[in-house]
Amino acid sequence: MSAQRLVIEVTGEGREITLPENGQLVIGSDSQRADLALDDQGIAAVHCTIGRIRGGGWALKDLGSDYGSIVNGRPVTTVRLMHGDVIVLGSQHLRVSDPSLPQEPEGPAQTTAPTPLPVSEPAAAAPAPTPNKQTQTGKAAAVGLPNLPGYRLERMIGRGGMGQVWLATQVSLDRRVAIKLLSAGLEADGGFVERFQAEARAAAALGHPNVVTVHDVSEADGHHFLTMEYMGGGCLETRLAELGPVPWHEALTIMRDAARGLEYAESRGIVHRDIKPANLMRTEAGIIKIADLGLAGSVEQEESPEGRKIFGTPHFIAPEVVRGNRADARSDLYSLGATAFRILSGHTPFEGESSKEILRQVLNDEPDDLRELDEHIPAGVSQLITRLLAKDPNDRPPSASILLREIERLLGDQGQTARSADESSAPRKIPVWLAAVAVGVIALGIKSLIGGDADPDESDPPEVAAGPEGPEPGEPGPGIPETGDSPPTLESDSPENGDQNEQLVELAAENALLKLRERSLPDSARIEELRSIAKTYLGTDAARRASADADQLEARLAAELEASQEVDRRRQTLLDAMQVAVQSGSTSPTKDGASPSPGRELRALATVPGQDEWAEDATFLAARAALQYDVLERATSWAEERWQTALNHEQAGDFEQLNRSLSSIVPLTDLPTLTETTAQRVRDKARELSALAAMARDKRNEIGSLESQFQEQRAQADRRALAQGLGMGSGTHGLVRNLDLATLAVRITDVHERLATAPSRGRLAPIKVRVDGALRALRLLASSWEQGLWKRHSILDPSGGRGTLQAAGADPSGLRLLVEGTSTLTLWSAWSDNPRSFENLFTGRLNRQWTGAELEDISSAMLLVSISQTLGHLEGVLGNQDPFARAVSKSDLESVEASFATALEWAQRAIQAGADDLLKGQIAREAEAARAVMSSLEAGTAGRWAEAVASLEYAISEHGDSLLVLLLSDGTEPDAAIRVPAPSQPDSSAEPDRESD
């Protein structure tokens, strides 16, 4: 055993801890004081300790916890730990094992499919439906069975909060299963279906004898369903409806099975939240299993008296859940108590005409005494159920494990009462094994006295009675040497032979004690062997010496353990003081972002007196290093989170918050100097924290340049987006030229949504307003025609002639004109180069006055026509042709200016009618941009290049947000957005620097 290595595994979590070779392993719920922290119900802050004992091995000592430490099902104070032991602390199970030995599986291996057992669907409320109603439901549902491949559905066996439950046969395994089909309403809720599938898969991973097994979750033919173990015994609610209340002893057995299932749920961190008779199912053998574990929270909600939605069934829901508090394991214990109340009495603890009335009673009233409803119920059973129904969760048993112990005690007390009368009158019997040992010893002694040379064939072996407490025939008893010979039988019962027998027994005892002293055994094993000799050879001198030796050895081990515990106590006292010092020096991070203070905490820890005394104590040094590491680890984790937050702020362009996040990390470099005697992992963690703080400091110093780069990158991205959406290569100018304002409005809206910066969106917003207004103006003409509001139908010829045409109709795409007696659709693009004819469409057109809003829309339309006319004069540039093939003349410039002037006139009329004057300023800017661009091209045509460049720069710098300039841009830098190409073969007589005609 000295070379033995034991580990402790926390069942259900996968954590394994190797028991220490030196010092102790402290177990408790306080993570600051315990080496193994278990935060569960019924576990004290410092619950128990495990330490090495002299001679090898480990022992567990309970530290005075309220609910004790249980090893292999028995409460203990101090006990030696062995391979295979199971420790229960509160609701946690710990398994002790030796990794060098073969490990036993934790549960029964399932090499074959389990025997199909039943599941009946729980009822939705406390009163169970009668068997007749269930039968009728099943027959009605059998008319159209759902088609689920791989399953043969037989009949519907119930309904629940989620839908229907069917009895079926899984064809591939030929086993009966229960299938839960979601209702059509829930199947239509995609979010619920996803949660249902996820919870069902998690539930399928659960496995316990008192939990209904979920086999599969699937979807077929539009139906979502899960398959589970079929429970032929039905639910307790059905049992209650058929047979009435159950006897109290059977109720305790039911509660025991349910508590075992809840104990397993606690080990997996699951709260059922809907324990009730309808969710406790019976196998055909009478075993109780919990249904819907992991699924109950998805079924349905009730409304509390205050109007909140809560999960659960009113008759069985815990008061804290009604109040809106979070359910925990004690909430399930309340529901189990309410379930026990119902199956014992046939009533629920609280009854009313509505759910709200019942929930009000749950909060405010006390249930009836069960013994008043049934006088045969023992007081202990009634008191236990009263505790389970306590309003305050702290007044209930803290865990299912503790409840299970109390139930088993009640069951055991009743069994003991039943057996006491029989056992009091039964005569005491001599153990069979003691008689067998005596016969064997006597026979062996006689053989030694007669020389041991008797022929085995001439003597018969002794007849030794074998029993459950004694050795099998032919096996030596404890302390008796093995021999291959068959000893002779004793022939007489003379006094001489009696004396010889006593001598022989004493001789065998001395021999066993001598051989034990020659063996090298751990102290614990030696004590066991000494006790065995004392018991086997009771009454001999050797037995008395063996017993005395065992007492002395146990006393020495106890003294050593007490001394070890005193050392551990003094060490722990110092470590507790150091922990308090760390806490006093800490500044916990707050919601306002205050930084932790690792430097102050480490300095406070170092000032605690008395540490030098433990400078050679490895356990103390390791614990101190753990405290130091924890300080640095918490600070590092906090700094890493803040660093990630800072990077997110940088990515989002929030440089003010970036500076705050980085500034909170920088002070963490203020750490005390760590010496070479400091644990290496502590020094490594300190370097990691310092490096992170240095990174934060460096990035904080670069915030200015980072912000400039960010803004420039976003501005460049916006320029590219504007050029791609509206510029020369986008085809947007064609939409303007064709007056396809509907498509143009969609295009501008799309570009506006893709812009990243507010300034860029601000540049495009006024343009979007004008395009939308122009589109409304054209649609207004069409709708006015449909309404018969046109008072004159003659219009100016849009082709530029001076004649007039008659309108025969109007729609959103254009007008129908009578040309040589034929009605012909003329699109709005026909007016793109003729502002005068376009204005005529609105002048005195209706038999009423234009409103201020309509005048504003008409002026917006006039603005778009003016921009279209300007683009028409620039076709050479936009078509990538020689820009000087068609010279821009002063008359072109004058016609464009006249067009914008007309738009301004309509804007002025709109202002007089109540519109704002923003439109007027926008038209003026577009007109100025058009004048500058056309002047630049006119100057370039004449060879006045300085004037051409100056005009172009003016258009870009002063009117870069105009629609005209955006249509001519290419997305490059602003000073190169519009280029006026020089002629490929300039006239040698031209004066390139001439700035005037």
Side-chain angles (χ1 to χ4, degrees):
M1 291 292 290
S2 60
Q4 183 186 29
R5 183 170 72 92
L6 293 183
V7 299
I8 284 185
E9 176 190 358
V10 182
T11 304
E13 294 183 10
R15 283 194 288 167
E16 285 189 354
I17 298 90
T18 301
L19 295 185
E21 288 294 327
N22 298 296
Q24 298 190 26
L25 177 74
V26 179
I27 305 176
S29 61
D30 187 347
S31 61
Q32 302 298 321
R33 300 170 60 188
D35 303 306
L36 174 56
L38 303 173
D39 187 13
D40 276 278
Q41 296 292 324
I43 299 181
V46 180
H47 198 102
C48 65
T49 180
I50 299 176
R52 191 79 171 174
I53 57 178
R54 184 180 296 274
W58 288 266
L60 178 145
K61 179 177 178 60
D62 185 87
L63 299 178
S65 62
D66 291 340
Y67 296 98
S69 302
I70 300 174
V71 178
N72 299 329
R74 299 181 61 186
V76 299
T77 301
T78 301
V79 65
R80 178 186 178 86
L81 295 179
M82 306 292 287
H83 168 73
D85 287 347
V86 176
I87 306 170
V88 178
L89 309 179
S91 60
Q92 284 282 11
H93 288 64
L94 312 177
R95 184 177 294 277
V96 182
S97 62
D98 185 343
S100 65
L101 298 178
Q103 303 298 305
E104 297 180 359
E106 294 191 11
Q110 292 193 8
T111 56
T112 60
T115 304
L117 296 177
V119 156
S120 294
E121 174 64 3
T130 63
N132 290 337
K133 291 183 178 179
Q134 290 182 342
T135 304
Q136 293 168 2
T137 302
K139 291 180 179 180
V143 175
L145 299 183
N147 180 23
L148 305 181
Y151 298 93
R152 185 171 61 253
L153 273 66
E154 300 176 12
R155 59 186 174 88
M156 191 173 73
I157 56 178
R159 292 181 182 272
M162 292 187 191
Q164 302 173 348
V165 180
W166 292 77
L167 173 62
T169 298
Q170 185 177 0
V171 177
S172 60
L173 298 177
D174 193 27
R175 68 174 174 185
R176 302 183 82 188
V177 297
I179 296 183
K180 179 174 290 188
L181 280 168
L182 282 186
S183 65
L186 294 179
E187 286 179 337
D189 184 349
F192 179 91
V193 170
E194 290 181 2
R195 293 193 303 274
F196 168 77
Q197 292 175 339
E199 291 174 356
R201 294 188 185 98
L206 305 177
H208 188 271
N210 297 108
V211 174
V212 174
T213 301
V214 174
H215 296 314
D216 191 18
V217 61
S218 186
E219 185 271 341
D221 197 23
H223 296 290
H224 294 274
F225 64 97
L226 65 81
T227 60
M228 53 190 172
E229 191 180 359
Y230 172 66
M231 303 290 288
C235 69
L236 291 183
E237 193 64 50
T238 302
R239 155 71 173 80
L240 191 64
E242 293 174 351
L243 302 177
V246 303
W248 68 265
H249 194 278
E250 181 182 348
L252 277 182
T253 304
I254 291 171
M255 292 176 66
R256 180 195 61 193
D257 289 355
R260 288 170 177 170
L262 290 177
E263 181 184 41
Y264 173 73
E266 289 179 18
S267 71
R268 301 297 295 266
I270 298 173
V271 179
H272 190 286
R273 297 198 291 178
D274 200 23
I275 294 294
K276 56 188 177 182
N279 272 338
L280 295 184
M281 318 300 294
R282 297 172 66 251
T283 68
E284 293 174 336
I287 298 173
I288 298 299
K289 297 193 178 190
I290 300 174
D292 282 347
L293 184 62
L295 296 173
S298 294
V299 181
E300 57 190 12
Q301 300 181 17
E302 286 290 339
E303 186 171 287
S304 73
E306 296 78 16
R308 296 187 306 272
K309 290 296 184 179
I310 54 177
F311 286 103
T313 306
H315 297 88
F316 307 97
I317 194 167
E320 64 270 20
V321 181
V322 179
R323 296 188 190 98
N325 298 334
R326 183 177 181 180
D328 60 17
R330 296 170 299 177
S331 306
D332 282 348
L333 297 187
Y334 175 96
S335 300
L336 182 58
T339 297
F341 190 104
R342 174 155 178 76
I343 63 176
L344 280 166
S345 66
H347 300 277
T348 54
F350 305 102
E351 298 178 342
E353 296 181 357
S354 67
S355 296
K356 287 189 177 181
E357 172 61 18
I358 295 170
L359 294 177
R360 186 196 63 76
Q361 295 179 41
V362 169
L363 290 175
N364 303 307
D365 298 345
E366 294 297 330
D368 293 334
D369 188 344
L370 270 174
R371 302 190 72 188
E372 295 179 0
L373 301 177
D374 185 352
E375 61 182 6
H376 300 292
I377 297 176
V381 176
S382 177
Q383 292 167 3
L384 175 60
I385 294 175
T386 299
R387 285 182 56 206
L388 290 173
L389 294 176
K391 304 294 186 189
D392 188 346
N394 294 321
D395 294 335
R396 303 172 202 150
S399 68
S401 298
I402 301 301
L403 173 62
L404 186 58
R405 286 165 51 187
E406 295 192 30
I407 295 173
E408 289 174 341
R409 178 181 60 78
L410 289 172
L411 288 170
D413 289 347
Q414 176 62 18
Q416 182 66 30
T417 302
R419 291 190 300 269
S420 58
D422 295 338
E423 293 178 352
S424 62
S425 60
R428 299 188 62 182
K429 299 180 180 179
I430 300 176
V432 177
W433 66 268
L434 186 58
V437 169
V439 173
V441 170
I442 293 171
L444 178 62
I446 291 176
K447 179 176 181 180
S448 63
L449 289 176
I450 64 178
D453 53 356
D455 189 349
D457 296 334
E458 296 178 1
S459 62
D460 297 325
E463 295 180 1
V464 181
E469 301 181 73
E472 293 292 330
E475 294 183 357
I480 302 176
E482 295 182 11
T483 176
D485 298 329
S486 299
T489 59
L490 192 64
E491 295 181 357
S492 69
D493 271 340
S494 67
E496 181 181 355
N497 285 335
D499 293 339
Q500 291 177 353
N501 290 344
E502 292 179 3
Q503 295 175 8
L504 292 175
V505 173
E506 188 73 48
L507 179 63
E510 292 288 350
N511 186 40
L513 188 58
L514 179 62
K515 287 196 172 186
L516 176 59
R517 288 174 176 172
E518 293 175 351
R519 296 169 63 190
S520 176
L521 291 175
D523 290 338
S524 58
R526 184 173 298 278
I527 291 173
E528 293 177 3
E529 292 292 336
L530 287 170
R531 296 293 185 203
S532 176
I533 292 175
K535 184 176 181 180
T536 302
Y537 303 104
L538 187 65
T540 65
D541 291 340
R544 285 189 289 271
R545 291 200 307 275
S547 180
D549 289 348
D551 291 341
Q552 183 179 5
L553 185 54
E554 283 184 340
R556 180 171 63 81
L557 291 179
E560 290 176 354
L561 180 60
E562 182 64 29
S564 174
Q565 289 174 347
E566 175 61 21
V567 171
D568 292 341
R569 187 193 63 76
R570 291 179 52 243
R571 183 195 301 114
Q572 189 60 49
T573 300
L574 177 58
L575 291 173
D576 289 344
M578 296 170 68
Q579 180 66 54
V580 171
V582 168
Q583 294 174 351
S584 65
S586 67
T587 301
S588 299
T590 66
K591 294 181 179 179
D592 297 330
S595 304
S597 51
R600 186 161 58 248
E601 294 177 43
L602 291 177
R603 292 186 183 93
L605 186 150
T607 59
V608 176
Q611 299 183 49
D612 293 342
E613 176 186 350
W614 301 85
E616 303 299 326
D617 187 275
T619 302
F620 170 78
L621 296 177
R624 182 173 66 180
L627 285 173
Q628 295 170 325
Y629 185 87
D630 181 62
V631 169
L632 295 169
E633 172 63 22
R634 283 188 285 107
T636 303
S637 298
W638 183 89
E640 288 174 343
E641 292 178 1
R642 297 292 291 177
W643 175 259
Q644 186 58 53
T645 300
L647 296 181
N648 293 339
H649 289 319
E650 181 183 4
Q651 185 71 22
D654 191 344
F655 293 94
E656 181 178 353
Q657 291 297 329
L658 171 63
N659 182 59
R660 291 181 181 176
S661 296
L662 295 175
S663 297
S664 66
I665 301 175
V666 172
L668 301 184
T669 55
D670 179 26
L671 298 176
T673 302
L674 300 178
T675 65
E676 291 299 323
T677 59
T678 306
Q680 183 64 44
R681 68 178 188 135
V682 175
R683 286 182 283 149
D684 291 343
K685 182 58 69 173
R687 280 193 290 269
E688 180 183 348
L689 178 60
S690 297
L692 188 57
M695 291 169 55
R697 183 186 59 244
D698 294 342
K699 183 173 282 291
R700 187 183 63 177
N701 295 336
E702 299 173 357
I703 285 181
S705 60
L706 291 173
E707 184 172 7
S708 298
Q709 293 174 9
F710 180 83
Q711 297 299 343
E712 179 57 28
Q713 290 172 356
R714 297 182 73 185
Q716 289 178 359
D718 281 353
R719 284 198 293 273
R720 288 192 296 271
L722 286 169
Q724 292 170 358
L726 304 178
M728 295 175 62
S730 68
T732 305
H733 76 280
L735 300 178
V736 177
R737 290 287 292 138
N738 293 327
L739 294 183
D740 186 358
L741 302 186
T743 307
L744 178 63
V746 173
R747 176 74 57 85
I748 291 179
T749 298
D750 179 64
V751 174
H752 185 269
E753 291 176 352
R754 287 190 281 120
L755 296 178
T757 64
S760 298
R761 291 191 295 271
R763 293 173 61 189
L764 199 56
I767 296 174
K768 182 178 182 300
V769 171
R770 296 309 149 213
V771 172
D772 291 342
L775 179 60
R776 287 194 299 270
L778 294 182
R779 290 175 174 173
L780 178 60
L781 282 177
S783 63
S784 298
W785 175 276
E786 295 293 336
Q787 298 170 16
L789 299 179
W790 282 33
K791 71 178 180 180
R792 63 187 187 87
H793 295 174
S794 62
I795 63 171
L796 293 179
D797 187 350
S799 64
R802 295 187 177 274
T804 61
L805 298 173
Q806 291 294 314
D811 62 41
S813 63
L815 299 180
R816 290 194 171 275
L817 303 179
L818 293 176
V819 180
E820 297 180 355
T822 302
S823 175
T824 302
L825 177 63
T826 303
L827 301 178
W828 299 121
S829 58
W831 284 270
S832 61
D833 288 326
N834 196 337
R836 176 173 172 271
S837 178
F838 186 77
E839 179 191 19
N840 178 256
L841 294 177
F842 300 94
T843 303
R845 183 60 55 190
L846 302 185
N847 56 15
R848 64 172 177 81
Q849 296 294 323
W850 299 108
T851 66
E854 291 170 344
L855 288 170
E856 185 176 355
D857 290 343
I858 293 170
S859 59
S860 296
M862 292 297 301
L863 173 61
L864 266 294
V865 172
S866 299
I867 295 173
S868 174
Q869 183 187 31
T870 304
L871 293 174
H873 290 298
L874 304 177
E875 290 291 351
V877 175
L878 297 178
N880 292 322
Q881 303 168 2
D882 184 352
F884 307 106
R886 177 183 180 278
V888 177
S889 65
K890 288 186 177 292
S891 63
D892 294 337
L893 183 57
E894 292 172 355
S895 66
V896 169
E897 290 180 344
S899 176
F900 281 103
T902 301
L904 281 172
E905 292 175 1
W906 282 86
Q908 185 62 39
R909 292 172 58 187
I911 294 171
Q912 293 173 353
D916 60 55
D917 59 355
L918 296 177
L919 172 61
K920 187 175 179 180
Q922 189 173 356
I923 295 174
R925 287 192 297 275
E926 291 287 350
E928 189 64 24
R931 185 181 301 108
V933 172
M934 292 195 66
S935 296
S936 173
L937 294 180
E938 188 272 332
T941 303
R944 303 190 304 276
W945 300 112
E947 180 182 343
V949 172
S951 297
L952 191 60
E953 289 178 344
Y954 172 77
I956 296 171
S957 62
E958 298 299 325
H959 305 292
D961 57 352
S962 67
L963 176 58
L964 180 63
V965 173
L966 291 175
L967 292 171
L968 298 175
S969 65
D970 60 3
T972 58
E973 295 301 319
D975 60 352
I978 305 175
R979 299 185 181 276
V980 180
S984 57
Q985 294 181 349
D987 186 355
S988 59
S989 63
E991 298 179 12
D993 295 331
R994 187 176 63 180
E995 299 181 2
S996 61
D997 290 335

